[in-house]
Structures are given as structure tokens and as C-alpha cells.
Amino acid sequence: MGRACRIFAILCWLAATSAWAAEVQDVRLWRAPDHTRVVFDLSGPAEHKLITLDNPSRIVLDISDVRLKASLSGLKLDDTPIGKIRSGIREGSDLRVVFDMSAGVKPRSFALKANAQAGDRLVLDLYDLTAATVSQPPPVTKKVDAGGRRDLIVAIDAGHGGEDPGALGPNRLREKDVVLAISKELYALFEREPGFKPTLIRGGDYYVSLKGRRDLARQRQADLFVSIHADAFTRPQANGASVYALSTKGATSTAAQYLAQRENAADLIGGVNLSDKDDVLAGVLADLSMTSTLDTSLKMGGSVLGRMDSIARLHKRSVEQAGFAVLKSPDIPSILVETGFISNPAEARRLATRSYQQQMARAIHAGIRDWFSQHPPAGTLLAWQKQQGGQQYTIARGDTLSDIAQRFNVSITDLKSANGMSDTRILVGQTLKIPTS
């Protein structure tokens, strides 16, 4: 009798579970400056329907033939327009998830098919109708002084974010965390630099599409777009920092092609509606090689690479090129900086420390500053300073007077004379007047 009861119970359990075609294995929530994202990780594909209800305001997701295995109670709803999340079963095997809203939103949902990096997912984006409730970088305008001279705007893009952790290193070190830390250090350096105005493309732990990153840089009228990464390779022995620019043809190396393919697949992991169209036309990209944009990107990248050489081993001693989607702005010089291989244990240990993150940010900052000091766009404060022979340079760690003289093509004697110096001693943070070469 006992054995028969056990068999009957098993059969009942099998009959019940067979009613569900898939399971919700996890539910994750991310807050971005302009929307809230909820991601349902599924064991297989599932159909769904999105419903909006008023009085009171609710967003309803009906997911067919799915069982909720994950818990909804642990989701942090602070700083989101969601007041409460409830769930239940309808029509025998369909899952209904109800979001009780505390503020108005514009909802959008879409399914993502399983790929090499992630399984099937259902994404619900709730776009704010009013001002965002989380901190975000303030709107950037080109600051103009009394003489009509503006600052240079540098768009700093921390790669990955949100549900896309990027490359993973030892001890659960995540690329998205490392590059956001370096990006914030870089932002702080430019914030203190006269003639520059930085803006963060991603100011927190959320995902921005590759196209969205370019669009934000353009909306903020950026003079330069610099994307910060710390990728991985198939072999843990791979090491070294690199700088990349766009290639409209083929990649300059197998490693560059591999890296571009990985980065271009980020939208599949980050959760982007793949029906969204990219407005950068192939014809525009073909013309990119005929403009100064790519040439400036390569030379700017070379300046950054030269500075990185003082603190890190370089993977390649020249700027590499590949078809990175994030760099495809035809009107903004754009570079991608690989700060190191997070898959290399030794480099991962360094990348995890704030001191090394600061060193890397200082090297990138110095390389960009070096280039713009010598090639400032017309109408900028830096261009005016150069014309007046009153260009200034703030000394960074590792600088020597001879290095500065060589960089600005002036003699040490003239540099000392312009600044009233009796010897070659300099201090970090000291500002030097650069005489006309």
C-alpha cells in the first residue's frame, strides 16, 4: 500500500509538472537613469502578453505555460516606479506577474532567444514619464567663457553594465565594475582640468546599448568618445593593455577580430530589442576613411598608448583596428582602451586595486590631454591658449621636465625661463606655462 501511494504521488507530480513548458529560473531588476528593467531568466522559450491597467495603475505580464521557480520577494524596488510585485497562476498553467505601479511609465517587453552567453529571457522595460529617480550625469552643454571659448567635451564610456557583467576574472572580478571605477577616476581628472568637460555615458550599474552609447555621445556634442574595457581571452597567459580604433575593412590582427566580435555581441547579453534598427548607414561608414575622424582616432589612440606604456605592458605597440560597433560614430573621434586582460590572474589582481585604476586613468587622461594640447579644435579654450603662447600643462605623476619639453617641442631652457625655474624639479599638480615652440 505504501509503495502504491508513493507511485501514485510521483505520477501526480509528473502530471502536474508536465503542464509547464518552461520555468522562470531567476528574476533580476536593474535601475537605469531613464527606465527600470526586469529580466526573467527562462529554461526555454515562452510566449507572453503585456497588459496595462488603470485605477490603480498596474502592469501585467501573462507568460504562457511557465512555472515561477524564482522568488520575487528579494527584488529591491527602491528608487523604482514599482510599488509591489505579485504573481499567480491563471488558466491552469499560465503565469501572471502583476506590477503595482507608484508612478507612470511607458512599458515595453520583448523576448531574447538563448545564445552562447545567456539563456532564453523575457525583458520588461518600464520607461519613466517624469524625471528619473536615480542619480545620473547632469546634462552636458559646451561651456563658453566671456571670450567665446568653449571647453572640450570628452565622453567616457564604461563598457558593459547591468545584466551584462563583461569578462569575468578570478575571485568573481567583473569587467563592468573595474571599468566603471576607472571611468569615474578619469572623469574626476578631466573635471579638474581647465578647458575640458567630461561626461559619463554610464554612471552606474545598468546597460546601455552599443548604439545608445554613440547616440548619447552625439547628443552631448562630444569632441571625443573613449570606451574603457578590460577583456578576457581564451588563454589566461594573454596580457597587456591595448588601444583600438575603428576599421571599416578587416581587423589588424586575429586578436582584434576576436575582441570586436565579443564586444559587438554585448547587446545579446545586455538585453537589447534586436528589432531596433541601427541608423548608421554602411555608406556613411565607407566614407569614414575619407574624413579626418578616423585619422584623428588613430593619432589620439597613439598618444594614449604612449602614456599607458609607462605603467603597463602593452599587448601591441601600435593602435589596432577592428569593426567595433561602439566606435562607429562618423563625426566623433572614437577609441576603445583595453586596460588589461581580466582573464590573466596577475593583471586581474592589479585591475582590482584602486591605486592601479587611478594609474590607468591618469595615463589615459594624460594621453588625451597631450593630443588636444597640440591639436586643439578651433574655438576652444585650448586653441586660444596655444595661439596666445600661454598654453598651460598640469604635471602628472611620472612626468619629468625633459619629457614635457619634448612633448611640446620646446627646449628645457625656454620652459624653465617661462616659469621662472632655477632647476628642473617639478611637483605633481604643478601648472607650467608652455612657451611658443
Side-chain angles (χ1 to χ4, degrees), residues 186-197:
L186 184 59
Y187 178 93
L189 290 170
F190 276 118
E191 186 80 336
R192 298 193 294 267
E193 185 79 24
F196 287 89
K197 181 63 179 176

Side-chain angles (χ1 to χ4, degrees), residues 51 73 182 234 400:
I51 305 169
S73 60
I182 294 173
T234 52
T400 65

Side-chain angles (χ1 to χ4, degrees), residues 235-257:
R235 294 180 296 104
Q237 294 83 4
N239 63 91
S242 307
V243 178
Y244 293 86
L246 178 66
S247 171
T248 57
K249 299 177 182 177
T252 51
S253 71
T254 302
Q257 182 179 13

